[in-house]
Structure formats: C-alpha cells, structure tokens
Amino acid sequence: MVFSIESRKQDIEVLKNETLDVLIIGGGITGAGAALQASASGLKTGLVEMQDFSEGTSSRSTKLVHGGLRYLKNFDVEVVADTVQERAVVQGIAPHIPKADPMILPIYDESNATFSMFSLKIAMDLYDQLANVTGTKYANYTLTKEEVLGREPQLNSEGLLGAGVYLDYRNNDARLVIENIKRAAEDGGHMVSRMKVVKIMHDEDGKASGAEVEDLLTGEIFSIKARTVMNTTGPWSDTIRQMDDKIDVTPQMRPTKGVHLVVDNKTLFVPQPTYFDTGKEDGRMVFVIPREDKTYFGTTDTDYNGDLSNPTVEQEDVDYLLEIVNSRYPSANITINDIESSWAGLRPLIATNSGSDYNGLSNQTITDESIDAVLSTVEQYQQGDVERYEVADVLKNIKKTNSETETNPSTLSRGSSLEIDEDGMITVAGGKITDYRKMALGAVKKVIEILDRDYNKSYKLIDSATYSVSGGKIDPKKVDEETEALAQSGVEKGLSEFEAGYLANLYGSNTPKVYALLDEVDQIDGLTLADTLSLHYAMREEMALRPSDFLIRRTNHMLFMRDTLDSIIEPVISEMARYHDWSDQNRINYTNELEKAIAESDLKRLKGAVN
C-alpha cells in the first residue's frame, strides 16, 4: 500500500469529483475508528483532518488503555465491565499497540483516600472477575509496606500502608490512530490530513450534504459532496456545529486540560506504572509511568478556555505535579530543570447541567478579558471580518471568575454522546480512548441506517471487534513470541537487536514492509539504520508530511528520546525535504514549526522565567 503525498493527491481528486456515502470530519481516534469500519463495510468514505492525524487530543493522552479501577470505589460495575471488556477487544484488533503492564497502587493513611487496603482488595478482586483474569498470571495481589518499598525505594514511607497490583495496559495513542487510518485507506477510504473544513454544505432540502474545505498545503478551496456527514472532532465538536447555519447550536463540550511531564529514569525510577492519590484531597489521582529510559507523570484536570489547537503547559501545571510527585518521592527532588519534555492535551468532556458554563452564567462574574473579546469579535462580525461560528466560539469560551468552584472537572462523566442535528449531521463526542471502537460503531450503524432509509443503499457492517487494524495481524495470545520472531528476522537482515526490537514493537505485522526498504534506501548520514527505515516508511506509508509528524506522532522521539533528538533533526529535515521536494520556504516553515513544538515540549518559556 502507498499512503503518501502522492496518494493524497489522488484522494483529493476523488473527494472533488465523487459523492461520498459518508464524510468524516476529524482524524483523531474516533474518526479513525469510524473510517476503518465504514471503509471495510464498503461505504465510499472520506475523512478530512485540519492538522496531522491524531495531532489534537488523540496523541496527548496518558498513553494507557486504562481499566478504570477507581470507579469500583462506588461500585460502578457496569462502567468498569464495559471498559475492561472493550479494552480486551482493542488488544485483540491491535495487539502490537496496547501491551499488558500491571499497575501498582500504593495506599496511604490519609483522610479522603480513594481506597483503604481492605476496599482496594475487594475492588481488585471484582476488577479481575470483570476483566476475566482471575487465576491467571495477571491476577491482582497485595504488597506489604516493606514489599512496596523494596520495589520502589524512592516512594515516601510515611503513612504508607501497602499497595495493590492489578492489570492495566500501556498504549501508544498516536500509533493506534494511524494504524486505524492506514487500514481504512487500504480498504478504499480517502483519508486526507491538513484539510480544514470551513463550511457545512446542504442540499435543496436543507440536509447536510458535505463540506467546503481548504487544503492547507496548497491553499485550494473546494467542495466535498456526501450523503451523510459525521463530526468526530472532539473538543472542536461545537465549533464544527457552529459552522452549520441550518441548526441552532447549544454547546455541549466542556474541554479540560491534562498535562504530563517527562524526566530521566535516573532522576525518578519506577519499575512499573504507579497510580496514587494526590494527597491534596482534591479527588484526583496521578500516574507515574516508566517508558523507554524515562519516567513520565500526570495528569492535571482543569477547565480550559483557550486555543483548542494549542493547549500549553503553564507554571501552575508544573508546580501542581511537582509538588505531588516530590511529596510521594521525596528523594527525587525534581525541579523544572529536570523536565526533559512535556505535553498538554484536551479531554473532550461533555458538560452536565451542573458543570456547564452555560447553565451558570447568571451566578458567575464574567472576566473583563472575556467581555472585551466578545465585544471585539461582534464588532468584527458586523464589519464582515469574521464568520458567525467564530462569534459563537468566543461566547462558548467565556471565562467566569468562579468557573473552577462550580464543578470539579475531575468529577465530570467521561461518557460519550451520539447526536443527529435537524439537518442530519451526526456528531460523536466525549468518551475515552478505550471506547473509541464502540463509539465509532454506533455512528457507522446510524450512517448505514440513513443510507438504507434515504438512498436505498444497503451495506452490511463488518464485525469491528475482530477486524484488525493495520499492523495488527498478530495472535493476541502470542504477542511476545511473534514480536520476537519479527525482531529476529530484522537481526538476520543486519539490524542490531535493539533496532530490530524497536521496529517490531512499533510496526507489528507491518514490520516486514519496513525491512523491505533495506533494498531501496541507503542509510541516511546522521541517522541509525532503524531511523532511516522508519522515516521512509512514515513518508511512504503513513502520510508523514512534516518533520513534526514523524518525530512526535509516528514515533515518540520528541517525548521519550529527547537525548538524541537534536542530533537527528537536520538529517530528518533534509531527507524529508528531498523526498517531498520542498521549496526553500517550505523547509524554513516546517523547521520553524518543529522548533516551536520542541521549545514548548522542553518548557523553554517557563525555564527561562525561572532561570
């Protein structure tokens, strides 16, 4: 398969000239899952994403396929049952991505703790039954205080009672998205990134019938015709609906920001993922997770009213996490200068009545900054300088002086919704990454119903619970053995054991396609052989159009291999410029974009203020 800048041009021609069965707006995990299911079921499917695939929320998670053990404190059995069962499905269709990684949960003698040792054991036993791992090697167990400290000697011993260990899964969120996207493309879908929707189109009956889009690589604006339109844009869901002038929009999203920080494992070492109360009696818990030779921790959970496309780590986020982690690991004494990389992402939470800013305006004070923003935008709208939906977006993001006190965003439901507006546009919003396939399934079912009812077009939905993503043709029960065999094949072709293992774990059953490039490309000066193969595979088969696509999302180089990042930037950019035939200006623009992303990840702005 070719999924590259060349196939992009072909896909755009189809989008321009043919009528789709479904146009999906948004290339995060939900849109990618919907595209896979629709394409595999035979629907003529198009997907447009204004950034890179997964660039928004879906590459900025805690990077777990989390089981939700904490919900069992309140015996939310149904929620946990659904989560762990769906997690098993995802592990089955993408076995090279979610990997079992048991979690340790230390218990402290603190008021308002999520669990006691007694309640934790009850919750873990129930969790094991729901996850169907009772009696297996992944069954839970408890540790005494001494055993916990033997395993994690840096952990604070004061007030420590013991710990529980239970099954959880690490994840590579951005890889899960691109593997869904690639499979959708293999099955005939037309997946196009860097394509921004600027208007929802309608037929003569007022039904949503496609979108007007702008190609952000060329500046070309054109229309895409479709029988159904699906909005899977996460935090942007309200923004897309506000572009639709045939509907009255009541905003439903309440995005919250989550921040994660990365340090070297010599600064903070944990042998396995660790999960504990913050100790601040704020109802939150924090993860500390080993990855590569690093340790990352998070997350925060605060209301967000800023630029949806560029959430940033602020000083208060760093202070909050460092205070908690240094309290739990006093000898680490982490400072901002120890942070090697970071990321901030938005959770597309759906506001409940009690949590919705729109239901509390009469009891809250609007900030002067928000009043000025509203007045300015309305004035620009009256002069014809901005669109109607942009005014609505400003109103949606009004800041209240007590927005944090009305409802704790950490307590909002992570539930999802599927709504059909009066003009037929389908919006799928909310949810967790674990639930992406089920959310996509519900939406594609609705599309098929509409196509049958309104267009007399009949399709049979594939069983997405058994339909592998790209790279997923590995026996879920023999992941380690089959991955090792793939790695050994690479060693026989001249790769080092480390390089071959890295590629096999990253690409799963697509690894032989990566190895095949050994016959086509020469090792790039300044890159390892593995990085050379990975870069070319990303450009040829994974639509890596810019350096940031490759270094941040096709790989996690910026986040977890910061030590070697600087040395490979120039060779990566040079090879991408050669392969894509960039103009000098494009090379400058893409280099600047990458440098900005690295500076943000490095917390250069905050470190400069401190130092």
Side-chain angles (χ1 to χ4, degrees):
M1 186 195 86
V2 174
F3 186 53
S4 67
I5 189 71
E6 291 305 318
S7 66
R8 183 181 188 275
K9 296 172 185 176
Q10 298 163 13
D11 285 327
I12 288 174
E13 285 304 306
V14 172
L15 295 181
K16 285 180 179 179
N17 297 302
E18 299 185 22
T19 299
L20 304 173
D21 288 319
V22 59
L23 171 63
I24 299 168
I25 305 170
I29 188 59
T30 306
L36 179 150
Q37 294 183 36
S39 298
S41 300
L43 282 70
K44 184 174 284 295
T45 304
L47 179 148
V48 292
E49 162 60 47
M50 70 174 178
Q51 303 179 104
D52 181 26
F53 301 117
S54 83
E55 186 170 344
T57 294
S58 295
S59 61
R60 300 165 183 258
S61 71
T62 304
K63 305 186 187 302
L64 298 171
V65 185
H66 191 39
L69 177 75
R70 68 179 297 187
Y71 292 115
L72 290 179
K73 178 185 180 181
N74 297 320
F75 293 97
D76 291 332
V77 176
E78 187 174 355
V79 172
V80 178
D82 287 346
T83 298
V84 295
Q85 289 164 15
E86 186 59 21
R87 182 178 66 186
V89 172
V90 174
Q91 198 272 330
I93 61 176
H96 60 307
I97 301 178
K99 303 286 179 64
D101 205 0
M103 183 85 66
I104 181 170
L105 201 162
I107 301 298
Y108 284 87
D109 183 11
E110 296 171 338
S111 60
N112 296 317
T114 300
F115 291 108
S116 65
M117 287 298 296
F118 178 71
S119 65
L120 175 62
K121 181 56 179 172
I122 293 174
M124 292 194 303
D125 286 345
L126 179 54
Y127 179 92
D128 280 7
Q129 292 179 43
L130 297 173
N132 197 29
V133 296
T134 302
T136 72
K137 67 178 181 178
Y138 292 122
N140 79 81
Y141 56 93
T142 59
L143 300 173
T144 66
K145 174 179 179 177
E146 291 72 26
E147 289 170 330
V148 177
L149 294 174
R151 189 173 296 194
E152 291 201 23
Q154 283 185 284
L155 201 59
N156 194 342
S157 63
E158 185 177 350
L160 180 64
L161 300 175
V165 179
Y166 66 96
L167 177 63
D168 221 329
Y169 282 75
R170 68 182 182 272
N171 184 35
N172 189 327
D173 47 10
R175 292 296 314 169
L176 188 59
V177 174
I178 196 62
E179 299 291 34
N180 273 271
I181 289 285
K182 285 158 59 182
R183 188 60 191 265
E186 289 172 21
D187 289 334
H190 306 283
M191 314 288 107
V192 182
S193 59
R194 313 290 178 186
M195 187 70 70
K196 182 180 181 179
V197 169
V198 295
K199 182 181 179 182
I200 302 299
M201 295 167 47
H202 300 87
D203 63 19
E204 60 273 12
D205 297 321
K207 295 295 185 182
S209 61
E212 188 174 286
V213 297
E214 178 184 1
D215 185 344
L216 298 182
L217 295 189
T218 65
E220 181 183 15
I221 295 175
F222 62 92
S223 297
I224 301 174
K225 298 185 290 294
R227 297 178 180 91
T228 60
V229 178
M230 187 188 303
N231 173 12
T232 61
T233 56
W236 286 268
S237 295
D238 289 339
T239 302
I240 293 297
R241 293 175 70 223
Q242 287 157 356
M243 292 181 186
D244 189 340
D245 58 14
K246 298 294 185 182
I247 62 175
D248 292 322
V249 177
T250 299
Q252 64 172 349
M253 303 309 297
R254 182 189 179 183
T256 65
K257 185 178 74 170
V259 165
H260 297 80
L261 308 176
V262 185
V263 298
D264 193 271
N265 66 3
K266 295 183 182 65
T267 301
L268 174 60
F269 176 77
V270 293
Q272 67 190 98
T274 306
Y275 188 38
F276 45 69
D277 287 317
T278 64
K280 298 171 73 69
E281 299 187 27
D282 57 5
R284 296 172 177 165
M285 298 183 75
V286 163
F287 295 96
V288 180
I289 302 173
R291 194 121 183 184
E292 313 297 338
D293 293 321
K294 308 299 175 185
T295 302
Y296 70 93
F297 47 88
T299 179
T300 58
D301 203 4
T302 54
D303 281 308
Y304 185 77
N305 295 297
D307 179 2
L308 295 177
S309 62
N310 188 38
T312 58
V313 180
E314 301 300 335
Q315 187 64 50
E316 54 264 37
D317 301 319
V318 175
D319 292 343
Y320 175 80
L321 289 174
L322 290 188
E323 180 183 354
I324 292 165
V325 172
N326 282 328
S327 174
R328 293 303 192 206
Y329 300 93
S331 64
N333 194 28
I334 303 169
T335 71
I336 192 171
N337 290 320
D338 293 311
I339 299 169
E340 295 187 357
S341 55
S342 65
W343 68 92
L346 301 181
R347 295 179 183 82
L349 301 187
I350 298 172
T352 61
N353 285 342
S354 61
S356 171
D357 291 339
Y358 281 85
N359 295 316
L361 280 176
S362 60
N363 298 319
Q364 298 174 340
T365 302
I366 301 174
T367 64
D368 290 342
E369 179 186 62
S370 285
I371 291 174
D372 291 341
V374 170
L375 293 175
S376 173
T377 307
V378 169
E379 182 178 357
Q380 292 177 65
Y381 173 69
Q382 292 172 335
Q383 295 173 353
D385 294 333
V386 302
E387 299 293 333
R388 172 177 173 268
Y389 73 86
E390 293 176 274
V391 178
D393 204 44
V394 170
L395 292 171
K396 175 171 70 73
N397 289 320
I398 285 175
K399 293 182 181 180
K400 278 71 65 178
T401 57
N402 63 343
S403 62
E404 280 291 308
T405 64
E406 290 297 309
T407 301
N408 181 350
S410 296
T411 67
L412 285 176
S413 168
R414 296 284 173 89
S416 63
S417 72
L418 191 159
E419 295 187 4
I420 302 179
D421 283 309
E422 50 264 40
D423 68 348
M425 184 164 71
I426 301 167
T427 295
V428 193
K432 305 183 294 294
I433 196 167
T434 311
D435 299 328
Y436 88 89
R437 185 199 64 87
K438 288 175 68 176
M439 293 168 61
L441 176 63
V444 177
K445 279 183 177 179
K446 187 60 63 177
V447 168
I448 289 177
E449 288 175 12
I450 293 170
L451 292 173
D452 184 43
R453 182 193 69 204
D454 296 346
Y455 298 95
N456 197 30
K457 292 173 68 71
S458 180
Y459 294 99
K460 183 178 179 181
L461 189 63
I462 56 131
D463 181 4
S464 60
T466 60
Y467 197 80
S468 298
V469 305
S470 185
K473 293 182 179 178
I474 291 175
D475 185 343
K477 295 182 176 62
K478 297 180 180 178
V479 174
D480 291 342
E481 298 93 324
E482 294 196 17
T483 302
E484 176 57 34
L486 288 167
Q488 187 56 41
S489 174
V491 172
E492 293 168 1
K493 294 178 182 296
L495 290 156
S496 70
E497 287 189 10
F498 174 82
E499 289 180 313
Y502 169 77
L503 294 175
N505 276 285
L506 199 62
Y507 297 113
S509 61
N510 283 326
T511 306
K513 295 181 180 180
V514 181
Y515 294 158
L517 293 172
L518 285 166
D519 298 326
E520 299 183 36
V521 300
D522 295 323
Q523 183 171 345
I524 300 167
D525 189 29
L527 296 185
T528 65
L529 184 54
D531 282 341
T532 298
L533 298 177
S534 185
L535 174 59
H536 270 274
Y537 183 74
M539 291 189 294
R540 297 173 186 220
E541 306 256 0
E542 297 192 332
M543 199 65 72
L545 302 177
R546 300 181 182 182
S548 55
D549 299 347
F550 174 68
L551 292 170
I552 302 174
R553 289 171 290 278
R554 304 301 180 273
T555 67
N556 284 316
H557 215 116
M558 189 181 81
L559 298 181
F560 303 123
M561 294 173 271
R562 184 63 184 87
D563 319 64
T564 59
L565 178 65
D566 292 340
S567 65
I568 70 170
I569 289 174
E570 180 54 34
V572 165
I573 290 175
S574 293
E575 185 64 8
M576 292 190 79
R578 185 197 66 78
Y579 182 87
H580 289 306
D581 194 24
W582 289 342
S583 67
D584 290 343
Q585 189 58 53
N586 276 343
R587 177 169 178 150
I588 291 170
N589 292 342
Y590 298 158
T591 300
N592 289 341
E593 176 187 79
L594 177 63
E595 289 175 349
K596 182 179 178 182
I598 293 172
E600 197 65 54
S601 174
D602 287 352
L603 303 183
K604 188 173 181 180
R605 168 176 52 91
L606 300 184
K607 289 176 180 177
V610 170
N611 297 326

